[in-house]
Amino acid sequence: MLHRLESLKSCTYDRMDMTVLERQAARLKWQQQNHVVQNNNPAELCASSVPRFQGLVGSNLGSGQMVELKRLEVFLGTDNFQEFLNFPVTGPEFGDSEKLDLLPPEAAADYCISRTSSCQITALDTAVMKEEREDMSLEKMESTIVSGRGSFNKRKAETVADHKSKDKRIKGEGEGESEVKTKCSTEISRNSSKENSKVSEVQKPDYIHVRARRGQATDSHSLAERARREKLSKKMKCLQDLVPGCNKITGKAGMLDEIINYVQSLQRQVEFLSMKIAALNSSVENLPMKEFPAIVANFPAAAKLPEMAGLPCFQLNPLQKESVNCMLNESMHPPQTEGIASASVSISEQSLSSSSMTQLQPFSTWNMDPQGLYNMYNMGFH
Amino acid sequence: MNKYNPPRMNPSSLRSRFATRFLRTLSKINAQKPTSSSSPTEIFRRYRRIKAAADKSMAYSVRSRRTWSRAMLWKLRTRPCGRRSVKTSTIIKSREARKTRHEKQNKNTTTTTTTTTGEDGVVFGVEADELRELVPGGEAMDLYNLLDETAHYIKCLTTQVQVMKKIADFYSP
């Protein structure tokens, strides 16, 4: 058991070459002693030492382990392998005797903040192999450490099928593991970097890469939620650009209120304009439609405002006024926001109450551009 | 009218698409107007028609790329309208589309209720429902897609308002 522990112990990220040699020595010793077919040994080793390893790993789990995960994620995403190499890694403490230099978790986390992260353990393999020329088992060890809780089982070659992984990220690793498995069985004691590099090219399952920030939980639920929240806030910012006058308002609730009001006002404007067109159509001859598209098409947004300002107040004869009244009654029926509806009704009633033209001036204010109209609504409120 | 050369405009922009469609429909409506068209009821009826035409033109300009346009087209088609002949095939298609949307909605509402109430608080839930009522086809969407649709819907509504305003100004004496 002890020599197994030693072999495990020797698997660290740091000082790779040495540990490779150590491991090889350990393995040779172990193989000599057991005289068993190579294929079976890892299985045995795995089966017997897994619980112990799990115990070790489990005891070390905590913020340190989380940071560990983060750091590995950091490592995967960047090209700055050197940087990663420079800080030693806290492997699980196999034996208490082995002292590893531990970067304080905070420093490691600082790296996390500015890096892309990846959930791929096989990518980790790739990175490691390219830089370190690691042995297969070392990669497996590293990946088990990365995945943490129960995937150590999978990482040992032949036991992949038997042991289930508890980590959700293992999904994509399955492919890599099968490859790893096949290679492992043939070259457990070999230190060939070339064949290792073959495995590295294998797979990149697509995951959503999320940053684990400092001081925040890293389980997949909170990561997914954080991604969702960020998407939502991005969307809200886009909407803020669309809706005028939203710059001052902070907070999602207020923003949503503004958006709702704006949509309502736009819909009412459409209704009013269609009413106006209907009313005007009744009194005006049908104008040549060929000119229309050109004229209608030709309005840059900037020209809108001056035109609105210079708009002559439009005349409604009494009949048309009635019809407008009908429309307003109609549009009143589904009262959406009470405040706005009442304001609009009051304005329109005000405009319809008299038959003289001058009192139709308020109507012309309805011809303002949407933003102006919207501001008018707001002013009616505040 | 002043003669001026209109500057070059993107012929496939939303605005031009909507404008041409709406004007075409408007001319049709105008051509159909009876001689005694000045009664308020008649005007009111025409108003409804014009409004429907505006919405329909808008939805057609967007094609079926957006959920709200599909929902609006479906609503307009299945609305009891005397003159319009409803094609059963389109209804069936739209009903199937609606069924799939309902299925999605069932999935989404379960997720939506949990997420909107659990994470962003109850506040979001109330306003999101209001927004869903406003945006056509919004019932079958989760919050993220709803915001997406709302943004596009707002853009289309502003275009619609601009075009109609221009038309109204053109008509006005």
Side-chain angles (χ1 to χ4, degrees), chain A residues 274-275 278 323 326-327, chain B residues 29 34 36-37 39-53 79 81 83:
Chain A
S274 62
M275 188 65 215
S323 53
C326 291
M327 174 206 70
Chain B
I29 292 174
S36 62
S37 62
S39 61
T41 47
E42 187 61 41
I43 289 177
F44 183 71
R45 211 174 296 151
R46 201 181 315 135
Y47 142 71
R48 293 304 294 265
R49 221 179 290 156
I50 288 178
K51 177 164 181 293
R79 212 175 50 145
C81 196
R83 304 185 300 107

Side-chain angles (χ1 to χ4, degrees), chain A residues 229 235 281 292 297 368, chain B residues 9 30 119 148 165 170-171:
Chain A
R229 250 179 282 149
K235 275 285 149 210
N281 269 355
F292 260 145
M368 283 190 292
Chain B
M9 196 165 148
N30 282 340
E119 187 199 305
D148 234 350
K165 205 169 289 180
F170 192 77
Y171 267 136

Side-chain angles (χ1 to χ4, degrees), chain A residues 233-247:
Chain A
S233 56
K234 207 171 49 166
K235 275 285 149 210
M236 297 291 284
K237 277 184 198 143
C238 297
L239 278 171
Q240 224 171 9
D241 297 333
L242 273 178
V243 179
C246 267
N247 307 324

